[in-house]
């Protein structure tokens, strides 16, 4: 991941137009550095390389198993994958050569700030929690911001979420105690009021540079459960689900208590689905004046012509 950060050409090639879009992610599957892992993977998102992503992990596990790169056992396949954030354990329900669902045991999740005051352009002072679920989240209350988390709110959710991200990154420093290079709020969750243990709660996750995640987001659910655990609303064994603005859901549960540095933390497990929708070959012509693609602000918020 650090090598790709230093030479960012592959991510730009894959995710910028004309090959990609602001809503596209890419995962580079690589050999694991550990003998107990079936593969490693590096997550590439529109503006960054997150250390972990639940939806991307579910996609990677599904592709590895359904394409035969990793042997499939039915009715359940157990394997480990190595993300930049650490080892992720996979439990895949399989039937007739297909992956029916994937549950991943995530890296530890924990809260760094609870009820922190944040000054946000246009919004004034709002209250947010900051938590790590594999990425650093600022979590804001949807009801306080006037959102119901519906699909028709996507553009305004994205605009407001990006305002919150910029403010939180500047005002609420956060550094992973064991991985100091994983620092700073990079993603925002606008969360509907919690519906309780065992229930489905709506949430919207805004990914830089200001677009709505289509999934319910595994790292977002992990971060939300870490906050609820710290506030005393959830404990080991409790479960909840998150639903996205398009209605897709991830189920989460707290597997165990742990600690990261001096901070109390949880081990979350996230379950969801992914489907292979196609196989593509991508090329670059040596005559192409835009070999790494280009960005335009009509589809890529905040972008200059490049």
């Amino acid at each position: 991941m650090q090598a790709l950060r230093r030479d960012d050409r592959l991510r730009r090639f894959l995710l910028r137009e004309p090959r990609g879009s602001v809503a596209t992610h890419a995962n580079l599957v690589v050999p694991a550095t550990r003998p107990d892992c079936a593969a490693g993977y590096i997550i590439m998102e529109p503006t960054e390389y997150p250390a972990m992503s639940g939806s991307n992990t579910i996609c990677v596990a599904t592709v590895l198993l359904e394409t035969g790169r990793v042997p499939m056992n039915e009715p359940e396949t157990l394997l480990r994958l190595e993300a930049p954030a650490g080892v992720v354990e996979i439990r895949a329900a399989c039937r007739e050569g297909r992956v029916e669902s994937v549950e991943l045991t995530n890296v530890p999740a924990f809260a760094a700030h609870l009820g922190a005051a944040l000054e946000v352009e246009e919004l004034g002072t709002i209250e947010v929690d900051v938590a790590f679920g594999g990425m650093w989240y600022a979590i804001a209350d949807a009801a306080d911001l006037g959102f119901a988390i519906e699909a028709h709110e996507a553009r305004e959710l994205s605009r407001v979420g990006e305002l919150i991200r910029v403010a939180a990154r500047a005002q609420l420093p956060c550094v992973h105690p064991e991985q100091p290079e994983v620092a700073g709020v990079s993603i925002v969750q606008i969360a509907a009021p919690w519906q309780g243990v065992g229930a489905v709660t709506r949430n919207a996750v805004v990914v830089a540079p200001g677009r709505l995640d289509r999934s319910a987001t595994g790292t977002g659910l992990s971060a939300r459960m870490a906050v609820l655990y710290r506030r005393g609303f959830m404990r080991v064994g409790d479960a909840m689900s998150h639903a996205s603005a398009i209605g897709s859901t991830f189920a989460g549960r707290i597997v165990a208590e742990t600690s990261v540095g001096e901070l109390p933390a949880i081990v979350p497990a996230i379950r969801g689905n992914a489907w292979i929708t196609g196989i593509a070959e991508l090329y670059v012509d040596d005559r192409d004046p835009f070999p790494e693609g280009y960005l335009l602000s009509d589809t890529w918020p905040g972008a200059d012509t490049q």
Side-chain angles (χ1 to χ4, degrees):
M1 184 180 74
Q2 297 298 342
L4 287 175
R5 277 179 172 169
R6 289 190 293 270
D7 183 354
D8 197 32
R9 287 177 293 174
L10 178 62
R11 187 190 63 83
R12 295 195 295 259
F13 170 80
L14 292 171
L15 298 187
R16 291 182 172 188
E17 293 183 52
R19 287 165 283 265
S21 78
V22 73
T24 302
H25 295 177
N27 295 283
L28 180 65
V29 178
V30 296
T33 66
R34 299 167 50 110
D36 60 342
C37 291
Y41 60 109
I42 299 161
I43 306 153
M44 294 177 277
E45 295 196 351
T47 62
E48 66 171 333
Y49 295 84
M52 173 57 190
S53 165
S55 55
N56 283 285
T57 301
I58 292 168
C59 290
V60 168
T62 299
V63 168
L64 289 174
L65 289 169
E66 290 196 357
T67 61
R69 290 175 172 86
V70 172
M72 178 185 291
N73 297 311
E74 299 183 13
E76 186 175 75
T77 303
L78 304 178
L79 67 144
R80 287 180 153 196
L81 298 175
E82 187 178 13
V87 174
V88 180
E89 295 184 356
I90 301 295
R91 184 180 298 269
C94 304
R95 185 166 64 94
E96 297 179 356
R98 305 288 297 277
V99 176
E100 295 190 316
S101 68
V102 173
E103 182 181 77
L104 63 97
T105 301
N106 198 1
V107 297
F110 55 94
H113 301 283
L114 294 177
L118 183 67
E119 293 292 330
V120 183
E121 182 184 351
E122 298 185 23
L123 305 179
T125 303
I126 67 170
E127 189 176 282
V128 299
D129 301 318
V130 174
F132 180 82
M135 305 169 69
W136 280 110
Y137 278 81
I139 304 175
D141 187 271
D144 288 348
L145 296 171
F147 291 113
I149 315 298
E150 302 288 350
H152 68 84
E153 298 173 324
R155 186 178 294 275
E156 187 64 9
L157 281 164
S158 298
R159 190 185 72 82
V160 169
E162 182 65 1
L163 291 174
I164 295 171
R165 184 192 69 84
V166 171
R169 194 166 181 86
Q171 298 171 41
L172 298 173
C174 48
V175 179
H176 194 289
E178 297 173 355
Q179 294 180 291
E181 70 278 6
V182 181
V185 169
S186 64
I187 195 164
V188 168
Q189 182 179 146
I190 299 176
W194 187 54
Q195 299 300 299
V197 171
V200 178
T201 299
R202 297 186 74 83
N203 89 122
V205 169
V206 179
V207 182
R211 63 92 180 164
L212 198 63
D213 201 313
R214 274 62 171 157
S215 85
T217 62
T219 54
L221 180 49
S222 297
R224 185 80 181 277
M225 291 194 296
V227 167
L228 291 166
Y229 165 79
R230 280 290 301 275
R231 292 187 182 277
F233 295 121
M234 293 188 74
R235 57 187 180 182
V236 173
D238 285 345
M240 65 170 290
S241 295
H242 259 172
S244 73
I246 65 169
S248 58
T249 60
F250 281 165
R253 59 189 178 93
I254 298 179
V255 175
E257 297 174 322
T258 186
S259 60
V260 177
E262 298 180 354
L263 295 172
I266 62 168
V267 177
I270 307 297
R271 179 170 50 83
N273 305 82
W275 295 269
I276 298 174
T277 59
I279 297 174
E281 293 182 342
L282 305 179
Y283 300 97
V284 61
D285 191 307
D286 58 11
R287 300 166 298 174
D288 187 345
F290 305 104
E292 296 177 15
Y294 44 81
L295 308 179
L296 285 171
S297 60
D298 64 333
T299 58
W300 197 285
D304 297 323
T305 303
Q306 48 181 296

